[in-house]
Amino acid sequence: MDDRIWNLMVAAIGQRIDSAPALALIEAIGAKPLRAVTPRNLYDHTASKQHGLSVTCKPTPKHRPYWPERKEKRAYINYITQIMIEPAYTGPLPGGLRWGLSKPELDAIANFELRGSGGIPYWNLHAPGPQVKLAATTSSYALFPEGQPAFDRIWMQLDEESDFVSAYAEYEQTKPLVYVEDAFFTVWCGLNGLLDEERFNAQVLQPLRDRSTTPLAFLHGPCGRLLWSGDIRPQYLAFVALYYNGIGLPDEQRWVSDINKAFAVSNHFQDDPERMTQDDWANYDAIAPLIDERFAQWQRGELKAEARTPR
């Protein structure tokens, strides 16, 4: 079978929509050109029913080299971030994958997991290229009737991170202290061993221990304005994602609620500069014990989202 289109897909993931690899893919499948959209419009996509392919682009991938989103000639730069592959695609598939496999057959060649509150099944396959993820999935939500194929689509995606803190300099021009609480959380992670040891070694963290810098300066400097999943040691990523995002947690255990307990209101929602929480260690000390408490609860299994039964 001709693997030309497969190779074009792998080459196009993560590329600008006006790049040669992206344009070659769109031309080869006979789809309409992708449009450059704004962050407010979220994404654009184009499809080829004949080839069973749908290609998506967006200007805001959670990929460090592309952050923050950029403009050229008043238009945002957009990148191909994912391609959905459906059974109409007749080209070769990698690693023993083929349409019609059952769950046991898929389990033998890929890593199975349930994602999201709906328990959507995914089988993670070997990456076909740098910074590319590949997974088989289904719309049947973990229902595997005997004799039925376990998956009906494949996702080829840019390997993006989960974003927790993204401190935009443009936003700080009007609200310089808007990310102070985010900086406090980031510093707490650094002082309590949650940050990646290679990116944040002892020398990088020493100014925090000496308190010779401020939390916001740490977020701006060594953190590059970001606290994303790649910054967190893997064993603590579940805590950061659960507590910081708060999805499924009782209100009283959420990060946003602890901000309100410590400071009454977050700087994100405070317009009076004089009433904003200041970037100092006294304020860090006001909220750190609350984070300590949540972390201890998580370690004891007392910080957890409501269990939901997969559909």
Side-chain angles (χ1 to χ4, degrees), residues 103-177:
K103 184 178 185 299
E105 290 173 320
L106 266 178
D107 289 344
I109 63 172
N111 296 319
F112 177 72
E113 67 170 327
L114 295 175
R115 296 185 192 175
S117 59
I120 301 175
Y122 280 82
W123 289 267
N124 300 307
L125 297 143
H126 179 72
Q131 301 177 343
V132 180
K133 295 190 301 182
L134 190 69
T137 186
T138 178
S139 56
S140 64
Y141 296 98
L143 299 176
F144 306 108
E146 188 174 351
Q148 294 291 323
F151 75 104
D152 56 15
R153 64 193 64 178
I154 301 166
W155 288 107
M156 184 184 294
Q157 298 173 302
L158 177 66
D159 189 5
E160 299 184 62
E161 297 182 54
S162 297
D163 62 322
F164 304 114
V165 178
S166 300
Y168 286 86
E170 184 178 1
Y171 192 12
E172 288 180 317
Q173 290 179 4
T174 55
K175 297 179 73 171
L177 297 174

Side-chain angles (χ1 to χ4, degrees), residues 29-51:
I29 65 176
K32 294 181 179 179
L34 288 162
R35 299 174 300 128
V37 297
T38 69
R40 181 170 295 183
N41 297 125
L42 300 181
Y43 64 89
D44 187 39
H45 74 275
T46 187
S48 168
K49 291 184 178 180
Q50 175 187 354
H51 293 281

